[in-house]
Amino acid sequence: MTDLGDAWTRVLAGLPPNQRAWLTNSRPVTLHESTAIVAVPDDFTRGQLETRLRPDLERILTESFGRDIRIAVTVDPSLDPELREQQAAQQAAPQQPQQYAQQPPQQQHPQQPAVREPLHTDGAYQPTIQSALTDPANAPQYNQPRPDAAPQHYQQPAPQQQFGQPMGSVAPPPNGSPTQSATEAQGEARLNPKYTFETFVIGSSNRFAHAAAVAVAEAPGKAYNPQLIYGDSGLGKTHLLHAIGHYVRSLYTGARVRYVSSEEFTNDFINAIRDDKASQFQRRYRDVDVLLIDDIQFLEGKIQTQEEFFHTFNTLHNANKQIVISSDRAPKRLEALEDRLRNRFEWGLITDIQPPDLETRIAILRKKAATERLTAPPDVLEFIATKVQTNIRELEGALIRVTAFASLNRQPVDLSLAEIVLKDLIPEGSKPEVTASMIMGQTASYFGLSIDDLCGSSRSRVLVTARQIAMYLCRELTDLSLPKIGQQFGGRDHTTVMHAERKIRQLMSERRSVFNQVTELTNRIKHQAKQQ
Ligand SMILES: Nc1ncnc2c1ncn2[C@@H]1O[C@H](COP(=O)(O)OP(=O)(O)OP(=O)(O)O)[C@@H](O)[C@H]1O
């Protein structure tokens, strides 16, 4: 089998000298499926590879391996010969003050030390991803908090770096009068506090995407730009995007991180045009260090928004600002997206997430139970994980229902109880497709309301609960995103849907009536879906 090192030698031999010169200090890092990762010493070289050399490099690699190979370029400053010389000189003179400029972030992940690549002999940073891929045991581990430990993310506040400063130059600790308060910045970043790397379970289905996400968060704008994560609904793309945001913010003081779904980006853009506030819009998305943009497939067919996003992308990329994108499909399958955008997505690293295997599903349930303080014995977790196989959101929903049912009946969570609850939730045989209109129709008729009531603005108690239950069921039983669900309910904001989801989860374990309503409605909706 061809080895990447050999193939790279062939690449070098096959290029004309003027092109080869760009690769003198490059290094092939690893081959993951059809992506060859290549490290270069600086951003400028990366730009040359991405724009000028890419077609020839990919052609020669494709010929060598006999299958389609694409490259992703990462910056590893230690490949710069001048830097090596400097570092060698420093090593020869140990009495000199240590040179930090090219070191990795010294602070570890607030919860668990991230196991990183052994440092080069010259002390330079190596992307975490390589060792995580070659030996999964090396992937950063963010274990469950020990029951006896204080919440670990509050432990040992790591010294932070100022964003834009070289790695290792430590910013002064926050002194209580920052220009922007932590809460404000958090609000602006719009990150869900629950979606962190600590709460993300790593398995073979997501190891590559996770390792790349950690590498990107540790060296934003440097490791892989853009990073694109794709996979089916409910497999953790949004979770990883938020986790990157949190980790960047914990490593770099003042880093401007912004998470946005593509639907919100589109709506924001339309409103900005309508209100003549284009420059404000542009500032919001271009004056950031890390832009996390979710569900990019939503831009398909939206020509003007794509145009705007294209310019946002270019501005950020040219300024070495990190862009992370999620999509429900591989970029080449985003057929209604302009070529120039798809093309740019391929400049960086594309990682996919697959449905988790049984062990990972069990581990996810275990972690979820621990973080939500839900008690469920191992055989019940295993049973749920066996029953719900594809969507992690559904997996979590099943755990919540089982524990809610037990708490309402003041019964322990055991296998027979889990069997009863899941029998209705997950019918045998093929999975029927549930739509938002089915959910809304069934909910309206169950509560004696109309669809207009569900979409309207009345806040009477019954109506609010019915609306929230319908939103909760849309979240659990369909693949619709938060903004899409909001749209279905009279153009409500995605935060309203998030609130409804949380509220119903809580009420299900507190009020039997709500639990019964949700269960009955689920049965009716699934029954209807099976008939279609
Ligand atoms: N590896 C994981 N470990 C722990 N929880 C996970 C993992 N993957 C997904 N989840 C959880 O599953 C739920 C769904 O994940 P998420 O919303 O990130 O999926 P998604 O791929 O973005 O889906 P969609 O495309 O529908 O938006 C979330 O609650 C998330 O925390």
Side-chain angles (χ1 to χ4, degrees):
M1 211 172 101
T2 311
D3 160 76
L4 181 60
D6 294 345
W8 196 244
T9 313
R10 236 165 287 154
V11 165
L12 294 179
L15 289 176
N18 61 333
Q19 292 194 2
R20 197 182 314 137
W22 285 108
L23 301 176
T24 320
N25 298 312
S26 67
R27 188 172 62 86
V29 178
T30 189
L31 179 70
H32 177 75
E33 292 173 2
S34 58
T35 304
I37 297 175
V38 178
V40 297
D42 51 51
D43 287 318
F44 189 67
T45 313
R46 177 172 67 177
Q48 294 297 316
L49 247 74
E50 282 173 344
T51 48
R52 288 180 46 195
L53 307 186
R54 175 187 291 281
D56 284 337
L57 297 181
E58 292 184 343
R59 179 182 46 76
I60 301 173
L61 286 173
T62 298
E63 281 165 12
S64 299
F65 285 93
R67 60 192 168 98
D68 274 353
I69 300 289
R70 52 179 302 284
I71 57 164
V73 189
T74 181
V75 175
D76 176 357
S78 74
L79 294 171
D80 183 338
E82 274 182 32
L83 198 86
R84 278 176 188 280
E85 272 173 33
Q86 269 177 27
Q87 282 169 338
Q90 274 159 23
Q91 274 173 2
Q95 71 280 14
Q96 284 177 7
Q98 199 183 351
Q99 173 63 261
Y100 284 113
Q102 299 299 332
Q103 289 206 345
Q106 292 299 300
Q107 37 314 56
Q108 298 294 12
H109 190 277
Q111 171 159 347
Q112 182 85 12
V115 178
R116 60 173 71 252
E117 188 80 354
L119 293 179
H120 267 189
T121 44
D122 55 10
Y125 172 57
Q126 280 295 286
T128 326
I129 192 168
Q130 185 187 356
S131 62
L133 289 174
T134 44
D135 180 1
N138 282 341
Q141 296 295 325
Y142 304 95
N143 293 335
Q144 286 185 29
R146 292 193 322 274
D148 57 341
Q152 300 214 356
H153 28 280
Y154 298 122
Q155 289 179 353
Q156 33 155 305
Q160 293 200 326
Q161 292 171 250
Q162 202 76 46
F163 200 82
Q165 284 188 355
M167 302 286 200
S169 55
V170 175
N175 58 11
S177 57
T179 46
Q180 189 187 30
S181 77
T183 336
E184 253 176 73
Q186 178 80 16
E188 221 166 76
R190 311 165 79 248
L191 301 176
N192 182 334
K194 289 191 176 172
Y195 291 172
T196 62
F197 283 129
E198 291 105 318
T199 56
F200 191 84
V201 174
I202 305 161
S204 55
S205 55
N206 59 29
R207 177 166 285 113
F208 185 50
H210 171 268
V214 172
V216 156
E218 289 183 344
K222 296 237 171 318
Y224 309 98
N225 204 11
Q227 185 195 357
L228 188 139
I229 306 170
Y230 74 90
D232 285 344
S233 176
L235 295 185
K237 303 180 296 292
T238 304
H239 190 137
L240 274 183
L241 256 55
H242 285 247
I244 292 172
H246 286 299
Y247 196 23
V248 167
R249 285 165 42 85
S250 77
L251 290 175
Y252 300 92
T253 308
R256 293 159 306 170
V257 173
R258 176 167 276 272
Y259 166 87
V260 68
S261 75
S262 302
E263 281 141 299
E264 288 169 83
F265 183 87
T266 305
N267 293 340
D268 223 8
F269 175 60
I270 293 168
N271 294 341
I273 301 287
R274 185 195 59 199
D275 303 339
D276 211 9
K277 290 190 173 155
S279 61
Q280 267 164 280
F281 171 86
Q282 286 174 356
R283 267 205 308 281
R284 198 169 316 133
Y285 293 103
R286 298 183 191 188
D287 288 357
V288 296
D289 300 303
V290 179
L291 180 65
L292 308 161
I293 180 145
D294 212 352
D295 290 323
I296 201 77
Q297 72 277 359
F298 187 80
L299 294 194
E300 279 193 305
K302 300 192 172 61
I303 304 297
Q304 251 193 304
T305 316
Q306 282 186 37
E307 167 91 22
E308 182 57 34
F309 182 65
F310 178 73
H311 294 301
T312 307
F313 185 102
N314 288 344
T315 308
L316 291 172
H317 200 269
N318 289 341
N320 289 327
K321 305 299 185 189
Q322 181 69 46
I323 306 151
V324 187
I325 302 162
S326 89
S327 162
D328 69 351
R329 269 159 283 159
K332 60 162 107 46
R333 290 189 46 229
L334 292 167
E335 281 124 17
L337 213 57
E338 280 184 49
D339 281 349
R340 58 182 186 165
L341 258 183
R342 261 188 302 177
N343 192 1
R344 272 166 175 67
F345 295 166
E346 297 195 345
W347 282 0
L349 183 64
I350 301 174
T351 59
D352 67 331
I353 305 191
Q354 295 293 327
D357 56 21
L358 180 65
E359 284 77 17
T360 311
R361 296 202 297 278
I362 296 172
I364 290 173
L365 285 175
R366 214 180 291 143
K367 181 150 276 189
K368 185 80 188 164
T371 48
E372 303 277 322
R373 305 220 160 102
L374 305 169
T375 318
D379 58 343
V380 169
L381 297 183
E382 196 174 322
F383 175 72
I384 299 175
T386 321
K387 285 283 177 187
V388 186
Q389 293 179 356
T390 42
N391 187 321
I392 298 172
R393 194 173 296 120
E394 242 177 88
L395 190 69
E396 294 180 344
L399 172 69
I400 291 194
R401 288 202 190 199
V402 169
T403 50
F405 187 72
S407 126
L408 284 171
N409 291 308
R410 301 190 191 289
Q411 260 181 282
V413 177
D414 60 23
L415 211 48
S416 59
L417 177 137
E419 273 166 0
I420 295 170
V421 177
L422 294 199
K423 187 161 72 59
D424 296 330
L425 186 64
I426 306 147
E428 298 294 329
S430 66
K431 204 178 148 202
E433 164 133 33
V434 172
T435 62
S437 56
M438 273 179 206
I439 295 173
M440 293 170 81
Q442 290 288 355
T443 312
S445 85
Y446 180 84
F447 286 97
L449 302 165
S450 68
I451 303 268
D452 282 350
D453 290 333
L454 287 182
C455 299
S457 55
S458 164
R459 298 205 44 83
S460 81
R461 186 152 164 229
V462 174
L463 227 159
V464 169
T465 309
R467 195 180 286 134
Q468 288 180 334
I469 288 180
M471 287 182 181
Y472 170 84
L473 289 171
C474 283
R475 194 76 182 127
E476 198 185 271
L477 304 179
T478 75
D479 288 346
L480 294 172
S481 63
L482 293 166
K484 271 236 171 73
I485 298 172
Q487 263 167 27
Q488 299 279 342
F489 287 81
R492 287 180 154 80
D493 191 71
H494 76 285
T495 50
T496 310
V497 186
M498 272 164 78
H499 173 72
E501 189 187 3
R502 264 201 306 271
K503 186 81 194 163
I504 296 303
R505 280 186 173 193
Q506 179 198 341
L507 285 181
M508 273 204 292
S509 58
E510 290 172 1
R511 280 201 225 146
R512 178 180 298 277
S513 57
V514 174
F515 184 90
N516 289 345
Q517 285 159 353
V518 173
T519 308
E520 174 58 23
L521 269 169
T522 308
N523 289 344
R524 291 187 188 191
I525 292 160
K526 291 207 164 166
H527 184 74
Q528 180 187 352
K530 256 200 276 182
Q531 310 296 310
Q532 307 268 313

